[in-house]
Amino acid sequence: MAAAANTKTWTVLDLLRWTTQHFAERGIDTPRLDAECLLAHALGCDRLRLYVDFEKPVEDAERARFRELVRERGQARVPVALLVGSREFWSMPLAVTRDVLVPRPDTETLVAAALDAFPEREASFAVLDVGTGSGAIALAIARERPKALVVATDLSPAALAVARGNAERLGLADRIRFGEGSLFEPVAAGGERFDLVVSNPPYVAERDAASLAPELGHEPATALFAGPDGTDVLRPLAEQVADFLAPGGRVFVELDPAQAPRVAGWLAEAGLGEITTHRDAAGLVRVVGARRETQTAEAVPSGERME
Ligand SMILES: C[S@@+](CC[C@H](N)C(=O)[O-])C[C@H]1O[C@@H](n2cnc3c(N)ncnc32)[C@H](O)[C@@H]1O
């Protein structure tokens, strides 16, 4: 595309074909989709418009913008979402930057499990999202349950700024409070208890870092990695969450399928019952859930707690 750029008239379709082949040769999984997203972004239109305009010539300035995006995607392996600055999650457009994890479809499994546990749309309940990143989970729940009050926390102030912006753009900011700090720190002082705690914490094992897709190098390490086996955040989360659940409250955490038995064990050891697992679109256990007993822990002898 670069060499012939000055001698040939490039149409939308020419650019899509050339770029799709270029991305495929570079081992990108979804070459045509990526080419369409980037060209639509460079032209300031949506993807459907490209199909209407297949034969339309692309101006030099637009092509220069597109060429730069193609270079970043093909060579530097920057994820498309970071190049275009947004990603759709739970049918909501979310702004994303290099300060946050790009929300993944797998995480919709967690949202679905949490909403199934609170099926009444008009229910009023208190929700805590630990490690909110772009705000994906907190915003999806707030949107689906318009009377829920949500606290969304993160270690990273830069991530919280992105989440706040998303909440404002989606008109949900009045029901979401943001807190900065590790795990339950932001809510510990107030003695708050939640009906629902959700979290997609970092859970990638540091020992796997070398074998990961190059795209992950553009996302924050604190959003991905958690110690040698990936459980440095999951473990304290599972061990402490019971103290922040209201009686009858539920927790759902996203994890690597291989971590599920250990996380279920930590939740049970912390006195939680009704342990459930939830599979993602690939059929893998992606989420573990648990429930605090309806009676207060103090009123129940420990030997009678549900295992
Ligand atoms: C895997 S990302 C998930 C982001 C978002 N919830 C999602 O599902 O797309 C994990 C997030 O947890 C945050 N985080 C990492 N360690 C944390 C900790 N100890 N306490 C609170 N947040 C943490 C990271 O900054 C990051 O935003």
Side-chain angles (χ1 to χ4, degrees), residues 101 103 107 130-133 136-137 154-156 159 181-183 200-202 222-223 233:
L101 186 95
T107 304
V130 177
T132 199
I137 302 169
D154 207 288
L155 262 187
S156 156
S182 181
L183 288 168
N200 172 20
T222 46
V233 180

Side-chain angles (χ1 to χ4, degrees), residues 55 109 285:
E55 300 308 327
T109 305
V285 172

